[in-house]
Amino acid sequence: MIRVEGLTKQFGDLQVLRGIDCTVKASEVVCVIGPSGSGKSTFLRCLNGLEEASGGQVLVHGVSVHQPRTDVDALRSEIGMVFQRFNLFPHMTVLENIMLAPLKVRRLGLAQARGRATVLLEKVGLIDKIDAYPNQLSGGQQQRVAIARALAMQPRIMLFDEPTSSLDPEMVGEVLAVMRALAGEGMTMVVVTHEMGFAREVANRVIFIDQGVIVEEGDPAVIFSSPAQERTRAFLGKVL
Ligand code: ADP
Ligand code: MG
């Protein structure tokens, strides 16, 4: 589904990604962990072309993301992204937030877009908030709407960048539950997270990034209990 080869990224003199190689198969859940500033968000943003690569390449279903001829908008509509901040449109209701892209980008009819939104709101447990505005919702509810909004485009891949990091602790569980259900349905997911419990339980594979390189990757059971690299051990020692 995703193949990353020799990906490098620099901002001016700052070398953020120093040669990343990895693949993500269909229906795989890959959790990316690592210290703050190690390049996790930049890596994720390179996967859907939100960030230009400095070198190397990213292939999504065989399509090279950073080729000038690639239709990045079309590609991005196949890849849903959920951010730390929920980024809902404040002047639109929950329903309008979810229907917007399917109407504008997918050219769905009103009834069809509404039907799809309703199904998704049932799924994330927020059908009773269909006509609410974002500021009437808790952080956890807003993030679940953001996930529903991304799913409304029927993406083949979902990218999550620390989706629970700005939530109050009591709301983390409800968002992780939605993500766990999505993983259970076979969605291909790349999740940057500090939720080690989630990574251990849901990920098929964990990637530890430090200073712009993949230091170690593998089965969560192995990474969390007996990491091979000293840097991984040191990091896990601080967060576990
Ligand atoms: P992480 O998500 O692991 O915390 P990031 O990918 O956000 O790390 O950032 C990695 C490094 O790249 C940081 O030093 C950050 O300041 C820098 N960086 C990220 N985005 C930009 C940008 N648009 N311009 C300049 N520097 C950036
Ligand atoms: Mg980040």
Side-chain angles (χ1 to χ4, degrees), residues 11 14 16 34-43 51 161-162:
F11 293 107
L14 184 66
V16 175
S36 178
S38 58
K40 304 180 299 297
S41 294
T42 304
F43 168 65
E51 209 71 78
D161 193 356
E162 300 195 25

Side-chain angles (χ1 to χ4, degrees), residues 18-235:
R18 301 163 187 267
I20 302 262
D21 296 279
C22 70
T23 57
V24 179
K25 298 193 194 81
S27 294
E28 222 183 350
V29 178
V30 174
C31 283
V32 179
I33 62 172
S36 178
S38 58
K40 304 180 299 297
S41 294
T42 304
F43 168 65
L44 214 57
R45 293 163 60 81
C46 283
L47 296 185
N48 68 352
L50 276 178
E51 209 71 78
E52 292 282 331
S54 303
Q57 64 171 349
V58 176
L59 301 167
V60 176
H61 318 129
V63 176
S64 179
V65 175
H66 298 98
Q67 277 271 336
R69 265 171 293 148
T70 298
D71 182 348
V72 184
D73 290 333
L75 188 87
R76 235 175 256 157
S77 73
E78 305 274 299
I79 307 176
M81 188 151 183
V82 175
F83 302 88
Q84 184 172 345
R85 299 241 119 248
F86 331 119
N87 299 319
L88 297 175
F89 302 111
H91 58 291
M92 292 183 181
T93 65
V94 164
L95 178 66
E96 288 164 351
N97 264 281
I98 297 175
M99 284 175 37
L100 183 68
L103 288 174
K104 297 277 182 221
V105 180
R106 291 268 193 260
R107 309 244 167 238
L108 248 56
L110 209 54
Q112 204 185 352
R114 179 185 290 269
R116 192 183 284 183
T118 307
V119 170
L120 288 168
L121 280 171
E122 295 275 10
K123 185 173 175 145
V124 301
L126 289 172
I127 194 67
D128 56 324
K129 301 292 183 189
I130 189 164
D131 293 319
Y133 284 87
N135 68 6
Q136 298 171 315
L137 304 180
S138 71
Q141 290 171 334
Q142 289 186 54
Q143 193 61 305
R144 286 188 280 152
V145 172
I147 293 171
R149 185 176 61 174
L151 292 175
M153 290 294 279
Q154 302 189 315
R156 304 187 20 176
I157 300 168
M158 285 286 285
L159 308 178
F160 293 87
D161 193 356
E162 300 195 25
T164 59
S165 291
S166 62
L167 298 177
D168 291 332
E170 72 270 25
M171 292 166 189
V172 169
E174 66 195 53
V175 173
L176 293 180
V178 168
M179 293 168 62
R180 193 176 290 118
L182 200 55
E185 289 169 16
M187 178 62 81
T188 307
M189 295 165 52
V190 182
V191 184
V192 175
T193 187
H194 295 294
E195 294 294 331
M196 298 301 154
F198 177 83
R200 191 193 289 259
E201 195 190 319
V202 180
N204 301 110
R205 193 146 48 88
V206 170
I207 293 181
F208 172 59
I209 293 188
D210 192 14
Q211 298 179 9
V213 295
I214 295 179
V215 174
E216 185 164 359
E217 67 173 296
D219 189 316
V222 175
I223 296 261
F224 287 121
S225 61
S226 49
Q229 301 295 327
E230 183 49 43
R231 276 155 81 185
T232 315
R233 205 166 314 167
F235 173 74

